Amino acid sequence: MPAVCIESQVDTVEFRELLNAPGPILLDGGMGTMLQAKGLGIGEAPELAALEHPDWILDIHRAYVEAGTQILCANTFGANREKLARTSKTPDEVIPPSIALAKEAAAGRALVALDIGPIGQLLEPTGLLPFEEAVNLFKEEVRAGVKAGADLVMIETVADLQEARAALLAVKETCDLPVMVTMTYEERGRTFLGCDPASAALTLEGMGADAIGVNCSLGPREMPPLVEELTRWSTLPISIKPNAGLPDPSGSGYDISAQEFAESMAQLTELGVKFYGGCCGTTPEYIALLAKALKGRTIREIPRSVPAAVCSGTRTVPIDRVRVIGERINPTGKKAMKEALKRDNIDYMLGQALEQTEAGADILDVNVGLPEIDEADMMVRVVKAVQGVTDAPLQLDSTRPEVLEPALRIYCGKAIVNSVNGDEETMAAILPLVKKYGASVVGLTLDENGIPKSTQARMDIAHRILDRALSYGIRREDVYIDCLTLTVSAEQEGAAQTLEALRRVHSELGLKTVLGVSNISFGLPARPLVNQNFLTMAMTCGLDLPIINPNVDAMMAAVRSYHLLMNIDTDARDFIAAYGDVQVSTSITAASRPASAAPAAGGTRDLGELVKAGLKGEAGEAARALLETREPLDVVDNVLIPALDQVGADFEAGRVFLPQLIQAAGAAQAAFEVIRARLSGQPGQEAGKGPIVLATVKGDIHDIGKNIVKVLLENYGYTVIDLGRDVPPEAVVQAAQKHQAPLVGLSALMTTTLGSMADTIALLRQEKVPCKVVVGGAVLTPDYAQQIGADFYARDAKESVDVARQVIG
């Protein structure tokens, strides 16, 4: 998908010079905080301030410039088509005047950034918004910003790495402006969708961001561990814009003073932070004191060397030991996989993915090449589906650019591309895609002349691939070499050549190595013996990434034993966890499986396991089969609810994250639909419980949290009446009365709309509506929930379900 760039109207050299200057760079503070202080009312769109209150915007920007700000963010944070829909304005109408006012206030003393915030919807597979639609929404903003003369782009307050990728791609494909990307993390060190700083850093630097960092949600006290993690996984400049601590729900302000904020932030120079600013609750006073605290301070030089690693959106896998690439999602020599591809049975592939990760695979190879199908379309659908049920990073296995690019485009994280070879035409087609999407790449030591017989010839090709990759700007650490496994039954001397090539690539080039191990034994008896011994020999020669079937115990045992004997498995923890309670036989005919390993390939999972795995298609069929022998409500109470409870417990313990929670809820919903259909034929029986009325309160348009609560409640079997966002108190009361709802859920994200939440609860009580009220949102606390008369406070979606079960059952 070629980029169509608009020529920038500004000289971006200024930003580069600013970046290369030795001292800290000062950003601005909160815009929303200042607009509220100016008198922006509840329900008014802050993005329209440039049209309705231009004097306010000028005053705010000028105050920040006087405080020392070197980069101003234009008031364009929510100026995307989706959020502007309620105003009847477009990005082209809102963004140019906003940037013009920032430029006027800057008066050459500061650069002006087009500020881009989240769209307000969850992207696939967690939500419903298609990736390309998100990219197009962001492109509209970028085009308007470039035409208006923005000096750079600042993407900020993003919780979904996939949305950050969409915004970054939109910038890179539209213009050549510098771009900074900051994400918003919770106290546990992840975004609310589960993205960790390592995954964000690897992905965003790989895709060409000029700086990365953190903004919003937390205060300066919580910044150090996030900064340290970012600097461990990125060489880019780090930008920090925390809140002024935690908000007081009563609206009286935040809990960190301007002086304390400045002093805490100045300490971050010791961690190498380059950009300093503020988010919610910060004002020009905060920035002025910050400028004073930073004056004369130098940024400590932190030596940074990012290791070889790949990641998904929620999990980073450093290549710091032997990492197993699962080979089972590949039709080569696999009849069942071929049939699944022909029948469009993606659930079969999801089952293979889960079996492999449960058996110990760190990374999953995905190859859907089959002449009878549309490989590009299938690759995209399988990648989306697999990323919906597992957090394992993926290796995208194809040599066709038209297959690889759409898959790389929607892959959330840093993938491996398998593969290129030493042929110049192939490298010219594949390596630019690797660079654009920030992937790692496997280089096969073959070219147009085939596989060389000698070790030196393979080394020559490896050198050639490395040089070409470096010429495209791909890091040395992101080039993995496959020295190729030849079948010993046909070319017995080939095994020694492969092992020698592995050793030399590892020692002379310092590159990571990949090998498809099982090729070695084709045509021989007792293949597992040959495969296991060859794998062990290869690991001692420097093999980092064996492509194997992790469901074969002997192969995983070889890897675990290698880690144990090479002092990689500290205190033998992994080895003992796998084999501590298992009897192992060395008989060729015997078989044993570690207690933690996956079910046998082709084995079936019960309904509870399917729900926990998030397999929607199979869950419906499993429910249908279970209803042949059990009563519908028995299945709900004793299978579905316990499975969801287990996923919820794992979520609360940090073992799974919001995407997995939502996928599990979706699988449960598929089963509930089958059960609901069965119950509809039984008089007096209903599957739904409730109803529950949900609303984001008057003046608040942030409804992602409310939407997630709705999904989970519905998938626990509750009927939900969703009133949407910006809902007046009267509408909530009317809906609660009309539907006789025993529970009402209210959400608010902004401190300025907490008054609306209090008014809604007060009206429910005044009208004597016989319901309980649960409230939630980032700015709420349990104490404030009690103060405004709520019956329950829910920290997250899972706690909302717990409340529903307490109230309704």
Side-chain angles (χ1 to χ4, degrees):
M1 301 179 184
V4 180
C5 291
I6 298 173
E7 185 178 351
S8 303
Q9 296 181 0
V10 298
D11 186 355
T12 62
V13 172
E14 287 183 77
F15 177 80
R16 308 297 177 192
E17 290 177 347
L18 198 61
L19 201 59
N20 293 329
I25 297 173
L26 202 63
L27 307 175
D28 57 10
M31 173 59 75
T33 299
M34 296 298 292
L35 285 173
Q36 291 163 16
K38 287 284 188 182
L40 188 73
I42 292 177
E44 285 191 72
E47 294 78 21
L48 302 189
L51 302 174
E52 299 173 350
H53 307 288
D55 52 328
W56 291 2
I57 298 295
L58 272 175
D59 285 348
I60 294 168
H61 284 320
R62 283 171 175 159
Y64 279 125
V65 172
E66 289 302 317
T69 291
Q70 294 164 280
I71 298 178
L72 284 173
C73 280
N75 183 39
T76 56
F77 179 79
N80 63 70
R81 175 163 37 92
E82 190 70 24
K83 284 188 173 178
L84 289 174
R86 69 191 181 102
T87 71
S88 75
K89 298 296 182 181
T90 67
D92 281 329
E93 294 174 288
V94 171
I95 290 175
S98 299
I99 289 179
L101 289 170
K103 286 275 188 180
E104 182 180 345
R109 298 167 61 187
L111 299 180
V112 171
L114 168 69
D115 193 18
I116 293 181
I119 293 169
Q121 292 190 43
L122 291 174
L123 274 66
E124 295 177 331
T126 306
L128 299 176
L129 184 65
F131 182 78
E132 286 303 327
E133 186 173 338
V135 174
N136 289 332
L137 286 168
F138 287 126
K139 281 186 175 180
E140 292 174 359
E141 294 181 81
V142 177
R143 291 189 189 103
V146 171
K147 290 177 182 176
D151 299 303
L152 68 151
V153 178
M154 192 173 293
I155 300 163
E156 57 180 1
T157 325
V158 187
D160 183 356
L161 182 58
Q162 190 71 320
E163 186 167 21
R165 291 184 68 255
L168 184 52
L169 270 176
V171 176
K172 304 299 283 187
E173 292 185 346
T174 304
C175 67
D176 59 0
L177 291 181
V179 56
M180 301 169 63
V181 187
T182 56
M183 301 191 70
T184 181
Y185 297 89
E186 298 178 339
E187 283 188 85
R188 58 181 178 156
R190 290 178 178 266
T191 72
F192 86 88
L193 278 172
C195 180
D196 59 311
S199 296
L202 287 168
T203 302
L204 299 173
E205 178 167 0
M207 292 180 64
D210 294 281
I212 59 172
V214 184
N215 80 295
C216 206
S217 291
L218 303 173
R221 301 166 184 155
E222 292 79 29
M223 290 297 106
L226 293 170
V227 171
E228 288 169 350
E229 191 70 359
L230 288 171
T231 55
R232 180 185 171 199
W233 293 102
S234 173
T235 61
L236 293 177
I238 304 299
S239 173
I240 302 296
K241 292 183 72 176
N243 291 344
L246 297 174
D248 182 339
S250 67
S252 62
Y254 288 70
D255 68 352
I256 292 182
S257 68
Q259 187 63 46
E260 183 182 350
F261 181 90
E263 292 171 357
S264 296
M265 288 286 281
Q267 299 302 313
L268 296 176
T269 55
E270 291 299 306
L271 298 181
V273 171
K274 182 68 174 177
F275 296 90
Y276 298 79
C279 205
C280 302
T282 60
T283 64
E285 180 190 4
Y286 280 73
I287 301 305
L289 288 173
L290 176 57
K292 183 178 179 181
L294 289 171
K295 188 174 183 180
R297 295 184 74 102
T298 57
I299 298 172
R300 183 182 175 192
E301 291 291 332
I302 306 292
R304 295 201 238 167
S305 179
V306 179
V310 291
C311 69
S312 65
T314 56
R315 180 185 172 199
T316 295
V317 176
I319 317 301
D320 57 354
R321 62 184 63 195
V322 175
R323 297 293 188 180
V324 171
I325 301 178
E327 68 179 9
R328 297 299 299 168
I329 306 178
N330 188 324
T332 306
K334 302 177 186 68
K335 184 177 179 181
M337 180 62 72
K338 289 180 180 178
E339 289 303 312
L341 288 169
K342 291 176 184 178
R343 296 194 312 270
D344 203 27
N345 183 6
I346 291 179
D347 279 345
Y348 177 84
M349 287 161 256
L350 299 185
Q352 291 292 319
L354 290 167
E355 287 180 10
Q356 291 182 97
T357 54
E358 288 166 1
D362 301 291
I363 300 162
L364 297 176
D365 183 82
V366 178
N367 183 323
V368 296
L370 207 62
E372 298 94 324
I373 67 170
D374 182 339
E375 183 182 355
D377 175 71
M378 179 61 78
M379 178 68 93
V380 166
R381 291 193 290 128
V382 170
V383 167
K384 283 183 182 178
V386 170
Q387 287 213 296
V389 301
T390 178
D391 63 358
L394 302 185
Q395 175 171 274
L396 308 179
D397 193 346
S398 178
T399 58
R400 298 173 58 195
E402 65 272 22
V403 173
L404 287 171
E405 176 152 25
L408 283 167
R409 199 168 178 82
I410 57 91
Y411 177 79
C412 185
K414 183 184 184 75
I416 303 174
V417 169
N418 185 16
S419 58
V420 297
N421 58 51
D423 177 66
E424 289 292 338
E425 186 176 339
T426 300
M427 289 190 287
I430 302 296
L431 291 178
L433 298 178
V434 173
K435 173 59 179 174
K436 177 178 180 179
Y437 295 102
S440 298
V441 63
V442 174
L444 306 181
T445 52
L446 61 84
D447 57 18
E448 63 273 18
N449 298 315
I451 302 175
K453 297 294 183 183
S454 71
T455 298
Q456 184 56 52
R458 295 188 199 185
M459 288 296 296
D460 291 342
I461 294 174
H463 269 286
R464 191 190 316 158
I465 292 170
L466 175 60
D467 290 343
R468 294 289 279 128
L470 293 173
S471 74
Y472 280 104
I474 298 168
R475 296 190 319 145
R476 171 183 287 269
E477 293 83 359
D478 292 330
V479 179
Y480 312 150
I481 298 298
D482 188 336
C483 296
L484 300 172
T485 306
L486 300 178
T487 303
V488 294
S489 60
E491 299 183 63
Q492 194 164 353
E493 72 283 359
Q497 295 284 352
T498 297
L499 294 174
E500 177 61 19
L502 274 174
R503 186 180 294 108
R504 290 186 60 185
V505 167
H506 185 266
S507 62
E508 295 177 25
L509 297 181
L511 300 182
K512 302 299 182 183
T513 56
V514 183
L515 210 58
V517 175
S518 60
N519 295 341
I520 196 74
S521 62
F522 283 135
L524 292 174
R527 289 188 62 190
L529 290 178
V530 179
N531 291 344
Q532 185 187 42
N533 281 279
F534 180 67
L535 173 59
T536 299
M537 296 170 71
M539 289 188 292
T540 62
C541 291
L543 176 59
D544 300 288
L545 294 161
I547 304 174
I548 62 174
N549 179 1
N551 294 44
V552 175
D553 299 329
M555 301 301 277
M556 291 305 298
V559 174
R560 293 186 180 110
S561 296
Y562 176 80
H563 287 159
L564 172 69
L565 297 171
M566 297 299 290
N567 196 30
I568 296 169
D569 179 9
T570 305
D571 298 326
R573 292 171 188 164
D574 295 340
F575 191 87
I576 292 170
Y579 302 111
D581 58 354
V582 173
Q583 290 186 346
V584 177
S585 170
T586 56
S587 167
I588 295 175
T589 58
S592 62
R593 175 172 297 279
S596 60
T604 58
R605 298 167 183 264
D606 63 33
L607 178 57
E609 290 174 331
L610 293 169
V611 168
K612 287 184 276 190
L615 297 177
K616 301 176 187 176
E618 293 185 30
E621 291 303 315
R624 191 170 286 107
L626 204 56
L627 289 174
E628 297 301 317
T629 58
R630 298 175 66 169
E631 290 297 315
L633 295 182
D634 174 41
V635 175
V636 171
D637 293 338
N638 296 311
V639 179
L640 291 178
I641 298 302
L644 284 170
D645 285 346
Q646 181 60 57
V647 177
D650 289 342
F651 172 75
E652 290 172 347
R655 290 186 290 268
V656 301
F657 306 103
L658 189 59
Q660 289 80 31
L661 187 65
I662 290 176
Q663 290 298 318
Q669 178 65 28
F672 272 123
E673 291 301 325
V674 173
I675 292 168
R676 186 176 286 113
R678 177 67 60 90
L679 286 170
S680 65
Q682 300 180 13
Q685 297 275 16
E686 292 185 4
K689 295 169 288 186
I692 299 170
V693 171
L694 292 184
T696 299
V697 298
K698 176 67 178 175
D700 205 320
I701 62 169
H702 302 88
D703 62 352
I704 283 183
K706 182 263 297 174
N707 292 342
I708 291 169
V709 170
K710 175 187 176 183
V711 169
L712 283 188
L713 286 171
E714 287 180 336
N715 291 305
Y716 265 82
Y718 296 96
T719 299
V720 175
I721 310 301
D722 182 6
L723 302 182
R725 59 192 182 187
D726 192 17
V727 181
E730 296 78 10
V732 175
V733 171
Q734 290 170 8
Q737 292 172 328
K738 176 182 177 182
H739 297 283
Q740 298 181 348
L743 182 63
V744 170
L746 303 176
S747 172
L749 188 67
M750 302 185 296
T751 54
T752 53
T753 60
L754 289 179
S756 295
M757 182 176 280
D759 291 343
T760 303
I761 295 173
L763 189 60
L764 284 166
R765 305 306 187 214
Q766 178 184 317
E767 297 297 323
K768 295 182 170 53
V769 181
C771 67
K772 299 292 185 182
V773 179
V774 56
V775 296
V779 295
L780 266 80
T781 65
D783 289 343
Y784 188 73
Q786 185 176 18
Q787 179 182 326
I788 62 176
D791 299 288
F792 302 95
Y793 163 78
R795 181 185 58 183
D796 53 38
K798 174 59 174 59
E799 287 192 2
S800 298
V801 173
D802 294 339
V803 169
R805 294 174 70 180
Q806 182 176 338
V807 173
I808 299 171

